[in-house]
Amino acid sequence: MAAALLLRGLRSSASRAHTHSLSHASSPSALGSSLLRRLYSSAAASTAASPAFAPGGVMDPSRIRNVAVIAHVDHGKTTLMDRLLRQCGADIPHERAMDSISLERERGITIASKVTSVSWKDNELNMVDTPGHADFGGEVERVVGMVEGAVLVVDAGEGPLAQTKFVLSKALKYGLRPILLLNKVDRPSVSEETCNEVESLVFDLFANLGATEEQLDFPVLYASAKEGWASLTFTKSPPDNAKNMSSLLDSIIQHVPSPKADLEAPFQMLVSMMERDFYLGRILTGRVRSGVVRVGDKVHGLRSTDDGVQKIEDGKVVKLMKKKGTSMVTVEAAGAGDIISMAGLAAPAIGHTVANTEVLAALPTIELDPPTISMTFGVNDSPLAGRDGTHLTGAKIGNRLMAEAETNLAINVLPGPLSESYEVQGRGELQLGILIENMRREGFELSVSPPKVMYKTERGERLEPIEEVTVEVDEEHVGFVLETLTHRKGEVVDMGPVPGAAGTGRTRIFMTCPSRGLVGVKGIFSSFTRGTGFMHRAFQAYAKYRGPLGSVRKGVLISVGKGLITSHALMSLEARGILFVSPGMEAYEGMIVGEHSRESDLEVNPVRTKELTNIRAPGKDENVRLSPPRLMSLEEAIGYVAADELIEVTPKVVRLRKKYLDSTKRKMMKNKPMD
């Protein structure tokens, strides 16, 4: 560790970057590499050449580099991938080309990991774009085992955050030696001193996560993915002939080892990704661990069980494919060390082994962190059910959830407490919210329970999931954040000004908080700070139960009538609280139409009309002026509902309702423990 501490001291000095570049340039090979970099122009994409092939028509393993791009949310992973693809001659149809799912493009986040390959200087680079949000951590865990290296992207202005720690811990666990890329250095607030400070923070993070001395000696590059350049030394704007990604591509080839591969051994591949094709069936993607596979080869699927290795299915390879840039191309053969997609087997899934028929041993499976929350998905049984959706039955909902669990190992699906209901376990409310949103877009109608935390019991002690929370807000909002999270059993770990942003009035707070206390807090936080603050969270560990939370929500307004909501009724209800509905919407008994101004629930009639008398005409309420209602999104609804409530989800609308629609039954069940 003494060597690591000495290295840390060297990295903390202001002249570290200059010394680092001089020491590398002193060797003839480094000098030649530096000269080559200066000779490459921004049109370096034309230098991309086809990699060398080994005997048998497969890729030479020594020419392959398997690399994952990992980072915190919004630190620039997907934009960086765009620039690397363009640098290597790929045709990018639009920005964020790797975000192929519609929800990814809408929300600006990466949800699923994706693999592509580019050619650079006779080498084949298999690049994996991973999500940065901890709720999709299963996507990171299942692909890190496919690669030998990683590019850790860190915002040079923000530094390492909660999810930087999460993704880095996964990379270090698999023995990867990450390349640190400080992104967004072109911003006016970023200086060389800022980068040195961020690099020291990253070094401390490596050390705290138990990195080896080799991992602590990580290469550092500076980049602006938005402008499309990377540099080995700090600069705000490199010369025109160096405004490209050559330095990063060269560093990947130099620092990432080629895969250890045996082309002579029998074929084996661990499935890391799976998707469905209407014509080809299951498409299995993974890294070939050993041997060579060709179209037409006989293979079988294997999986490890408590009783030993079990054969799943026999078959043959119908098609081999490889992602090149943004398009999928067909290949005839693939060898050890390469990442490939195949079709022909219908039963194997993620974590299973595909191998030659003479191989009877399964490869080690992927280790995943446990799920921390669960929600119950069931049939929509409200009075308005069946109007919008096409998939209504419990069987269809169950089949869809089982199919999701096959492609997403971080989700578990179990039978629910009621008939035709299913308990879905996951990492966070965002992950399950994305699943629900996808299902409603596919035509499903369902009722969803609020998230429940999954507890553990060890040695008679109750444990609950604790998360690390990083909050950055203006100073005026610090008191609100501390009061809100402390009320939800949060504990402050550290607090101080944002690094590199002295004098801006921004404060960064590090806290630990139970997962149950963070449900729904993101919407309250965003509303109070008016979008000026950000909050990120990542699972830390299971720890001792911190006790009941304080009151985190007021009561609700519950409809006792059925029909169209009227302006006349809402006019008198406005004084009772905040409304969730507007005139013309439909309501039914037991539906939640607003939030009460007090702690208790209140039954109201939102469909009441004017009384008809001989001196009063039934007008149309044209002159009634109502405040705009609070129309909740799906994520807001998930964070809002209480234990005795449900969310009704259809392709067109999201409604809140009580679990028991009948008022008498609600009163009977009020004093009974909830499920």
Side-chain angles (χ1 to χ4, degrees):
M1 195 64 190
L5 292 173
L6 178 61
L7 180 61
R8 176 180 179 181
L10 290 173
R11 288 190 176 280
S12 300
S13 64
S15 61
R16 175 207 40 77
H18 182 62
T19 307
H20 181 76
S21 62
L22 287 178
S23 63
H24 276 69
S26 60
S27 66
S29 60
L31 187 60
S33 175
S34 177
L35 180 61
L36 279 174
R37 276 193 301 273
R38 289 195 293 270
L39 290 175
Y40 271 84
S41 66
S42 60
S46 61
T47 65
S50 297
F53 286 85
V58 298
M59 206 79 66
D60 183 353
S62 66
R63 296 287 186 176
I64 296 175
R65 300 293 187 274
N66 298 318
V67 185
V69 182
I70 58 176
H72 183 84
V73 177
D74 291 334
H75 279 198
K77 298 177 308 300
T78 307
T79 304
L80 177 69
M81 290 292 292
D82 281 356
R83 301 301 176 260
L84 292 175
L85 290 173
R86 280 184 178 156
Q87 178 82 24
C88 297
D91 182 23
I92 306 297
H94 53 77
E95 293 295 317
R96 300 180 62 86
M98 295 297 289
D99 284 349
S100 56
I101 304 172
S102 59
L103 275 175
E104 291 179 323
R105 292 194 292 270
E106 290 175 19
R107 297 169 183 250
I109 59 173
T110 301
I111 296 173
S113 295
K114 299 154 191 92
V115 179
T116 189
S117 64
V118 294
S119 299
W120 181 253
K121 295 184 181 179
D122 293 331
N123 293 280
E124 183 87 357
L125 276 59
N126 293 317
M127 311 287 294
V128 184
D129 185 22
T130 63
H133 200 289
D135 278 21
F136 309 109
E139 298 288 319
V140 180
E141 292 162 345
R142 70 179 183 177
V143 300
V144 169
M146 296 168 60
V147 299
E148 285 78 32
V151 177
L152 175 65
V153 183
V154 176
D155 189 314
E158 294 184 349
L161 297 176
Q163 289 157 36
T164 308
K165 178 179 179 181
F166 175 81
V167 295
L168 178 61
S169 66
K170 301 302 176 187
L172 297 178
K173 177 183 175 182
Y174 280 85
L176 307 183
R177 182 190 176 210
I179 298 171
L180 175 61
L181 183 78
L182 298 180
N183 192 24
K184 306 183 183 180
V185 298
D186 57 311
R187 288 184 172 178
S189 60
V190 177
S191 63
E192 187 168 5
E193 290 74 22
T194 306
C195 289
N196 289 337
E197 185 178 353
V198 169
E199 189 180 334
S200 296
L201 292 171
V202 174
F203 184 92
D204 293 342
L205 183 58
F206 271 69
N208 292 336
L209 292 174
T212 64
E213 292 188 8
E214 182 184 7
Q215 290 171 328
L216 287 169
D217 188 21
F218 49 83
V220 183
L221 288 90
Y222 308 85
S224 170
K226 184 178 180 181
E227 295 186 359
W229 57 264
S231 171
L232 292 173
T233 57
F234 176 81
T235 178
K236 300 286 284 187
S237 180
D240 290 341
N241 65 344
K243 282 193 173 182
N244 54 59
M245 287 291 175
S246 300
S247 296
L248 177 57
L249 291 164
D250 291 340
S251 296
I252 290 173
I253 294 172
Q254 178 184 352
H255 295 289
V256 176
S258 56
K260 296 178 181 178
D262 184 1
L263 295 175
E264 303 300 324
F267 164 69
Q268 277 185 304
M269 182 186 85
L270 181 68
V271 180
S272 297
M273 300 181 185
M274 187 186 81
E275 56 185 319
R276 288 180 175 80
D277 183 88
F278 183 76
Y279 297 101
L280 298 173
R282 290 194 182 191
I283 298 177
L284 308 175
T285 300
R287 193 183 79 168
V288 182
R289 296 290 174 173
S290 62
V292 176
V293 61
R294 292 181 172 83
V295 176
D297 283 359
K298 291 184 178 181
V299 293
H300 60 190
L302 305 171
R303 67 179 171 192
S304 297
T305 64
D306 294 338
D307 299 327
V309 178
Q310 176 185 355
K311 182 186 290 189
I312 306 171
E313 178 189 10
D314 285 306
K316 72 174 183 176
V317 180
V318 174
K319 196 171 187 179
L320 287 175
M321 295 161 288
K322 189 171 175 64
K323 192 77 172 287
K324 296 275 191 180
T326 57
S327 58
M328 190 74 81
V329 299
T330 304
V331 296
E332 292 299 318
D338 206 358
I339 297 176
I340 199 75
S341 299
M342 67 164 59
L345 295 176
I350 296 172
H352 297 165
T353 301
V354 178
N356 281 347
T357 51
E358 64 266 24
V359 176
L360 300 177
L363 293 168
T365 55
I366 305 163
E367 294 182 14
L368 297 179
D369 287 342
T372 57
I373 70 165
S374 69
M375 298 173 70
T376 301
F377 289 44
V379 175
N380 180 18
D381 59 355
S382 86
L384 303 181
R387 297 190 180 185
D388 301 335
T390 54
H391 305 303
L392 312 174
T393 64
K396 285 193 173 183
I397 293 173
N399 291 338
R400 174 63 178 84
L401 293 174
M402 293 300 178
E404 182 70 23
E406 281 189 344
T407 59
N408 188 349
L409 291 188
I411 284 181
N412 296 333
V413 179
L414 304 172
L418 303 174
S419 63
E420 294 192 320
S421 70
Y422 304 88
E423 182 184 353
V424 183
Q425 302 173 346
R427 297 283 181 85
E429 55 193 290
L430 175 62
Q431 182 193 28
L432 297 183
I434 292 290
L435 170 59
I436 297 168
E437 181 64 31
N438 281 326
M439 291 180 67
R440 69 179 290 211
R441 293 187 181 195
E442 294 166 12
F444 282 87
E445 283 195 20
L446 58 156
S447 63
V448 184
S449 75
K452 293 189 297 184
V453 170
M454 299 178 64
Y455 298 100
K456 283 184 176 181
T457 302
E458 291 185 3
R459 299 174 183 175
E461 187 176 48
R462 191 183 192 188
L463 305 180
E464 67 173 335
I466 303 295
E467 300 191 28
E468 292 180 277
V469 186
T470 305
V471 180
E472 185 178 311
V473 290
D474 296 332
E475 287 181 359
E476 60 184 300
H477 299 140
V478 170
F480 162 77
V481 172
L482 295 178
E483 180 183 357
T484 301
L485 292 183
T486 303
H487 193 62
R488 296 167 178 257
K489 299 301 178 182
E491 297 178 358
V492 178
V493 176
D494 192 16
M495 182 171 67
V498 176
T504 61
R506 300 282 286 179
T507 301
R508 184 171 293 172
I509 308 169
F510 296 94
M511 303 184 72
T512 60
C513 188
S515 295
R516 59 194 168 95
L518 294 172
V519 173
V521 78
K522 189 72 179 287
I524 300 171
F525 173 81
S526 299
S527 176
F528 189 88
T529 61
R530 293 180 173 86
T532 61
F534 72 76
M535 174 186 293
H536 293 295
R537 40 191 277 208
F539 172 74
Q540 183 186 52
Y542 272 85
K544 184 178 179 181
Y545 180 70
R546 292 188 180 181
L549 305 179
S551 177
V552 295
R553 201 199 75 176
K554 295 181 179 179
V556 291
L557 304 177
I558 308 167
S559 172
V560 294
K562 179 179 180 181
L564 291 179
I565 296 172
T566 65
S567 300
H568 176 72
L570 295 186
M571 183 173 59
S572 60
L573 294 180
E574 273 195 323
R576 300 286 189 176
I578 301 171
L579 297 177
F580 298 161
V581 294
S582 58
M585 291 183 177
E586 282 196 81
Y588 53 82
E589 184 182 1
M591 176 176 158
I592 296 172
V593 296
E595 181 180 278
H596 195 198
S597 57
R598 301 183 181 181
E599 301 295 326
S600 59
D601 292 345
L602 179 67
E603 294 183 351
V604 297
N605 184 6
V607 302
R608 181 168 55 89
T609 59
K610 286 184 179 180
E611 293 293 336
L612 302 182
T613 68
N614 59 345
I615 60 172
R616 193 172 179 184
K620 296 184 178 180
D621 300 327
E622 294 93 344
N623 297 323
V624 174
R625 293 182 179 272
L626 299 170
S627 301
R630 178 185 173 187
L631 300 178
M632 286 195 183
S633 65
L634 178 60
E635 280 72 25
E636 290 173 328
I638 291 174
Y640 184 83
V641 288
D644 64 336
E645 297 165 1
L646 296 174
I647 308 168
E648 178 188 354
V649 181
T650 76
K652 294 182 180 179
V653 68
V654 174
R655 301 184 184 95
L656 305 183
R657 49 163 285 189
K658 285 294 184 178
K659 185 175 182 181
Y660 301 105
L661 299 179
D662 182 68
S663 176
T664 305
K665 189 166 186 179
R666 282 200 302 274
K667 292 176 183 177
M668 290 173 55
M669 304 298 292
K670 186 175 181 180
N671 297 323
K672 293 186 178 182
M674 300 303 299
D675 293 334

